[in-house]
């Protein structure tokens, strides 16, 4: 058995020889070519994300270098949800470990089968043809297919606007998992792009005489702006409290404390005040009033089927109780743009030099 070899396994050999080989087996990829990653930080919610490829000739623009936490490339990965930074191998998904083990075992079984088949053939050739008693060795044919590992793409797929690395997350993340640049604005921009598409669909439905479904579509688009805005403000607030006031996290981020605070400008400002941050300082008084009006309109759309109540009529002075509130595509776009300005300004608090 001195010449024992494993040719299938040897295709993946990067070091060593014989039965002491070091193998390199690629992890399974999703249909878009991304690899599962699992954050080792138990405080990350959620923990699954996907990493894709980056252009070979990518460079960091000089004006963007202040945004990165590390030079992009192999070596370390950053949890996009929590900002935790650690060695690449710490982010290997447990399903991928199992998949690679299963694949290596399948290769080894194939090599052992071929080895036994060769021994059987040699044994059979050495049997005398005219002997009174002969023996024959037979090895059953291996029929098992290679193990199948199915990986699915997550819905939110992005390319970092700083290092161009492709990755995918659940709806919202804070950082690029490669260079560590804050990517919150990139995520919110995706939300506004989807809102614009909803408005375009509503216009198409309206032009075809489907006014009610068109109204429902623009109403949903308007609600989606505030839903995305609320989720973004909450995610950044929780991260910043954990980073700067860790001993107060349980108190300041308790469910009963946060509630629906980020659907209200004054309550959101009060929470961010603990961090010494005024999230709406980038807006003029007029813009801030417009933001507040649209937040209130969202409550009417979401909880009252778009019918104005006395409180909303009193705020607007041009809507009557019991009437359906007007929703214009341009107003929704302006609402989304104001929210994007707030998010863009607030994202600066996540920069490396602010940590």
């Amino acid at each position: 058995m001195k010449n024992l070899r494993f040719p299938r396994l040897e295709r993946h050999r990067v070091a060593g020889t014989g039965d002491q080989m070091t193998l390199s087996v690629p992890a399974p990829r999703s249909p878009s070519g991304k690899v599962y990653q699992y954050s080792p930080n138990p405080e990350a919610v959620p923990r699954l994300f996907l990493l894709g490829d980056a252009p070979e000739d990518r460079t960091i623009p000089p004006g963007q270098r202040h945004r990165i936490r590390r030079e992009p490339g192999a070596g370390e990965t950053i949890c996009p949800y929590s900002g935790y930074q650690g060695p690449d191998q710490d982010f290997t998904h447990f399903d991928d470990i199992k998949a690679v083990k299963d694949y290596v075992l399948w290769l080894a079984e194939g090599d052992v089968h071929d080895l036994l088949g060769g021994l059987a053939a040699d044994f059979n050739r050495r049997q005398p043809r005219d002997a009174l008693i002969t023996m024959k060795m037979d090895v059953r044919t291996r029929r098992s297919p290679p193990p199948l590992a199915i990986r699915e793409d997550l819905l939110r797929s992005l390319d970092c606007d700083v290092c161009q690395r492709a990755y995918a997350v659940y709806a919202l993340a804070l950082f690029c998992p490669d260079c560590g640049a804050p990517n919150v604005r990139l995520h919110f921009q995706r939300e506004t792009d989807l809102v614009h598409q909803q408005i375009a669909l509503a216009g198409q439905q309206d032009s075809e005489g489907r006014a009610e479904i068109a109204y429902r579509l623009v109403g949903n688009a308007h609600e989606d702006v505030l839903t995305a805005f609320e989720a973004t403000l909450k995610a950044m607030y929780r991260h910043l409290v954990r980073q700067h006031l860790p001993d107060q996290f349980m108190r300041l981020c308790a469910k009963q404390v946060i509630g629906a605070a980020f659907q209200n400008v004054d309550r959101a400002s009060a929470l961010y005040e603990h961090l010494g941050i005024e999230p709406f300082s980038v807006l003029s008084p007029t813009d801030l009033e417009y933001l507040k009006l649209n937040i209130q309109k969202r409550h009417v759309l979401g909880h009252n089927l778009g019918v104005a109540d006395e409180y909303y009529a009193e705020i607007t002075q041009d809507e009557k109780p019991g009437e359906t509130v007007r929703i214009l595509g341009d107003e929704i776009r302006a609402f989304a743009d104001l929210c994007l300005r707030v998010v863009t300004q607030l994202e600066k608090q996540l920069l490396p030099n602010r940590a």
Side-chain angles (χ1 to χ4, degrees):
M1 293 289 188
K2 281 185 178 180
N3 298 323
L4 181 64
R5 295 192 58 190
F6 299 89
R8 286 179 173 81
L9 290 175
E10 287 176 1
R11 297 186 194 125
H12 298 278
R13 180 173 61 86
V14 293
T17 58
D19 59 354
Q20 298 293 323
M21 291 183 287
T22 300
L23 306 177
S24 177
V25 179
R29 288 183 174 259
S30 70
S32 68
K34 297 181 179 67
V35 176
Y36 273 20
Q37 303 284 284
Y38 194 74
S39 175
N41 182 9
E43 295 176 347
V45 179
R47 297 172 71 173
L48 172 67
F49 63 99
L50 276 68
L51 263 180
D53 296 323
E56 292 183 3
D57 57 347
R58 63 174 172 165
T59 57
I60 304 295
Q64 298 280 15
R65 295 203 67 85
H66 70 287
R67 295 181 59 192
I68 68 173
R69 294 177 57 185
R70 64 177 297 272
E71 289 296 328
E76 290 187 315
T77 301
I78 295 171
C79 170
Y81 305 112
S82 67
Y84 173 87
Q85 185 171 338
D88 289 342
Q89 59 267 25
D90 290 355
F91 287 80
T92 303
H93 197 281
F94 45 85
D95 282 347
D96 286 352
I97 295 175
K98 182 179 183 304
V100 168
K101 287 182 177 179
D102 289 345
Y103 180 66
V104 169
L105 178 60
W106 180 80
L107 292 174
E109 287 176 346
D111 285 337
V112 170
H113 177 274
D114 291 346
L115 173 64
L116 294 177
L119 292 175
D122 288 344
F123 177 83
N124 294 336
R125 280 195 298 269
R126 291 197 299 268
Q127 296 303 306
R129 296 183 180 180
D130 300 326
L132 180 63
I133 299 176
T134 60
M135 298 177 65
K136 181 180 180 182
M137 184 183 294
D138 183 39
V139 178
R140 293 184 180 180
T141 303
R142 177 173 178 257
R143 301 181 183 275
S144 62
L148 179 63
I150 298 176
R151 299 291 180 263
E152 297 180 351
D153 283 304
L154 297 177
L155 196 60
R156 173 59 55 86
S157 182
L158 298 167
D159 292 338
C160 175
D161 58 353
V162 177
C163 74
Q164 296 87 55
R165 185 68 180 267
Y167 67 99
V169 295
Y170 285 107
L172 175 65
L174 302 179
F175 304 99
C176 167
D178 194 356
C179 71
N183 275 178
V184 185
R185 184 189 185 282
L186 191 64
H187 282 275
F188 198 83
Q189 183 65 61
R190 174 65 63 83
E191 295 294 336
T192 60
D193 291 344
L194 293 173
V195 165
H196 289 178
Q197 293 177 39
Q198 288 174 274
I199 296 171
L201 287 173
Q204 180 181 348
Q205 293 296 316
D206 191 52
S207 67
E208 296 174 357
R210 302 184 181 91
E212 187 172 6
I213 187 63
Y215 183 84
R216 184 63 59 86
L217 284 171
V218 292
N220 289 343
H222 191 282
E223 288 187 64
D224 288 347
V225 173
L226 184 56
T227 299
F229 191 51
E230 176 189 16
T232 303
L233 292 183
K234 183 188 298 184
M236 283 196 281
Y237 170 76
R238 288 174 57 86
H239 174 78
L240 291 170
V241 170
R242 193 184 293 278
Q243 185 178 39
H244 298 292
L245 302 171
D247 56 330
Q248 300 183 51
F249 180 82
M250 296 303 294
R251 179 176 66 86
L252 296 179
C253 295
K255 185 176 181 180
Q256 62 270 26
V257 172
I258 292 181
F262 295 109
Q263 295 182 18
N264 181 286
V265 168
D266 295 332
R267 292 178 62 195
S269 294
L271 285 176
Y272 269 98
E273 189 176 348
H274 293 292
L275 295 158
I277 299 171
E278 173 44 64
F280 305 101
S281 61
V282 70
L283 302 182
S284 69
T286 300
D287 289 338
L288 189 58
E289 287 304 312
Y290 190 82
L291 181 69
K292 290 180 178 180
L293 175 63
N294 275 275
I295 289 175
Q296 187 58 42
K297 180 178 285 190
R298 186 266 185 185
H299 296 320
V300 173
L301 295 171
H303 305 297
N304 211 30
L305 290 177
V307 177
D309 55 19
E310 289 78 3
Y311 178 70
Y312 183 76
E314 182 180 347
I315 293 175
T316 63
Q317 297 294 311
D318 60 356
E319 304 276 4
K320 294 181 179 180
E323 292 184 348
T324 301
V325 299
R326 294 187 299 274
I327 317 175
L328 300 177
D330 288 342
E331 292 179 347
I332 301 174
R333 294 186 186 96
F335 178 33
D337 289 342
L338 289 179
C339 294
L340 180 60
R341 285 171 58 191
V342 174
V343 170
T344 301
Q345 180 67 19
L346 194 54
E347 183 189 62
K348 296 177 181 179
Q349 300 296 328
L350 304 176
L351 291 174
N353 58 3
R354 299 293 181 94

